[in-house]
Amino acid sequence: MDTGEFRGFNVTMRDSGIAWFQFSTPERLNGMTAKIKRDLVEAVTQAQMDNAVRVLVFTGSGRAFCAGDDLKGYRNAQIPGTPLVPEIDHGHDSSIGTYNGLRTISQRVNTAVRSLDKLTIAAINGIAIQTGFSLALSCDFRIAARGARMGSATLRFGLLPDEGGQYLLVQLLGVAKTIEFLMKKKIVEADEALELGLVNEVVEPDDLETAAMNLATELANGPQVSMRLLKRSVYNAAEMNWEQSLDEIAAKTGISDHHPDTREGVRAFHEKRTPKFNDWLE
């Protein structure tokens, strides 16, 4: 995949196949624009298709993870960095334009992240609001720095959580708590987010990058094929009935049971040693 400085974010490759995405406009609280979103979708798509990438980490710079859309500069902001895709009109000039802009650009970011079979981590360094909040919720793991604040709060502007935030919150909180969270326009600090189940772990700010890298490395060294199949199966199970989920995981097991990683795992068990997975990637 391409690495470097793109519009609104940087991508670097770290050891063990960890793709590190860092939002890079702290002066705008890493606010999103249509250009940034289109480049993000392209970068995530490249990561999905690149065997060298095993885990993706998203984090911010400055005092924000991502404070939502850049409302002042959404259309005309000049963001430095190499474009990954051509510019197009992002719509929102009419009712149907807003519908198309959301479905084609804004919602596509979280869809791309949710559709990854590779595991993802949000390292929430600071403010994560609206777009940034829903992006973090789209990841498989969330580690927050103590003092980070997060929420949707779109109703403060009379807006809706239109990039999937309502769906993602229902998955994590259930319907009743989601209604309360959104209607009361809550923005919670990291410790309360942990109590609610919105994040997996809270660490001190200076420890965030280390914690994210430790988790990413652990995940990257696991059996990638089985982990990716299991990720998809867990998300599918949330939408299926019992019989459908059994059939779905049986089909995936037909792949994993015959993969070299599984043979290595069984050998390592009998030989009483730590398995060395992912030779197929090297």
Side-chain angles (χ1 to χ4, degrees):
M1 67 174 296
D2 292 332
T3 58
E5 298 182 5
F6 306 110
R7 291 181 294 191
F9 63 96
N10 303 325
V11 181
T12 56
M13 283 299 299
R14 300 192 176 188
D15 291 343
S16 301
I18 298 165
W20 189 272
F21 288 65
Q22 185 152 19
F23 302 122
S24 59
T25 55
E27 70 282 1
R28 299 173 179 271
L29 298 180
N30 301 316
M32 291 281 185
T33 68
K35 298 172 185 177
I36 294 172
K37 292 175 183 179
R38 280 174 49 76
D39 281 357
L40 264 179
V41 171
E42 173 62 21
V44 168
T45 302
Q46 289 185 19
Q48 172 63 54
M49 301 306 297
D50 188 345
N51 280 338
V53 177
R54 302 186 187 185
V55 177
L56 289 76
V57 180
F58 298 91
T59 194
S61 55
R63 61 189 184 93
F65 175 77
C66 169
D69 284 347
D70 184 351
L71 297 179
K72 292 182 179 179
Y74 195 87
R75 180 178 293 273
N76 299 315
Q78 297 302 310
I79 306 296
T82 303
L84 279 171
V85 296
E87 294 186 26
I88 61 172
D89 188 351
H90 72 274
H92 290 280
D93 54 349
S94 63
S95 295
I96 194 65
T98 294
Y99 176 85
N100 287 329
L102 286 170
R103 296 292 292 143
T104 306
I105 299 177
S106 294
Q107 294 174 348
R108 191 68 59 84
V109 176
N110 294 335
T111 300
V113 173
R114 287 274 294 186
S115 296
L116 285 164
D117 62 5
K118 301 176 181 186
L119 290 165
T120 56
I121 301 167
I124 307 171
N125 57 296
I127 302 166
I129 304 295
Q130 195 248 353
T131 301
F133 184 51
S134 58
L135 174 61
L137 295 182
S138 297
C139 292
D140 304 308
F141 295 89
R142 286 164 296 283
I143 304 174
R146 181 161 283 109
R149 300 171 66 238
M150 64 199 74
S152 177
T154 53
L155 287 181
R156 296 185 182 192
F157 302 95
L159 300 172
L160 299 179
D162 49 31
E163 296 178 7
Q166 88 290 6
Y167 176 93
L168 296 165
L169 281 171
V170 168
Q171 295 284 304
L172 292 168
L173 300 181
V175 172
K177 288 186 177 180
T178 295
I179 287 288
E180 178 186 11
F181 192 92
L182 292 176
M183 296 302 175
K184 295 180 73 172
K185 305 178 284 292
K186 284 192 173 183
I187 297 176
V188 298
E189 294 201 2
D191 289 321
E192 184 175 354
L194 181 63
E195 292 177 5
L196 289 169
L198 295 176
V199 300
N200 303 90
E201 183 181 1
V202 175
V203 299
E204 295 303 320
D206 289 344
D207 298 329
L208 180 64
E209 183 170 343
T210 298
M213 279 299 299
N214 287 343
L215 175 58
T217 302
E218 176 186 348
L219 297 173
N221 289 333
Q224 291 299 295
V225 167
S226 292
M227 293 171 74
R228 295 172 193 178
L229 293 171
L230 181 56
K231 170 181 171 174
R232 290 268 56 84
S233 191
V234 169
Y235 282 121
N236 288 342
E239 311 290 336
M240 291 178 170
N241 63 34
W242 170 245
E243 288 295 335
Q244 289 169 334
S245 66
L246 291 178
D247 185 75
E248 190 266 356
I249 202 166
K252 286 181 167 57
T253 302
I255 299 172
S256 61
D257 273 9
H258 300 280
H259 192 273
D261 278 349
T262 300
R263 293 194 289 272
E264 164 61 10
V266 173
R267 276 196 306 269
F269 174 78
H270 289 300
E271 296 170 6
K272 296 182 172 57
R273 61 175 174 82
T274 301
K276 184 180 184 302
F277 294 121
N278 305 312
D279 278 349
W280 64 281
L281 284 173
E282 298 170 3

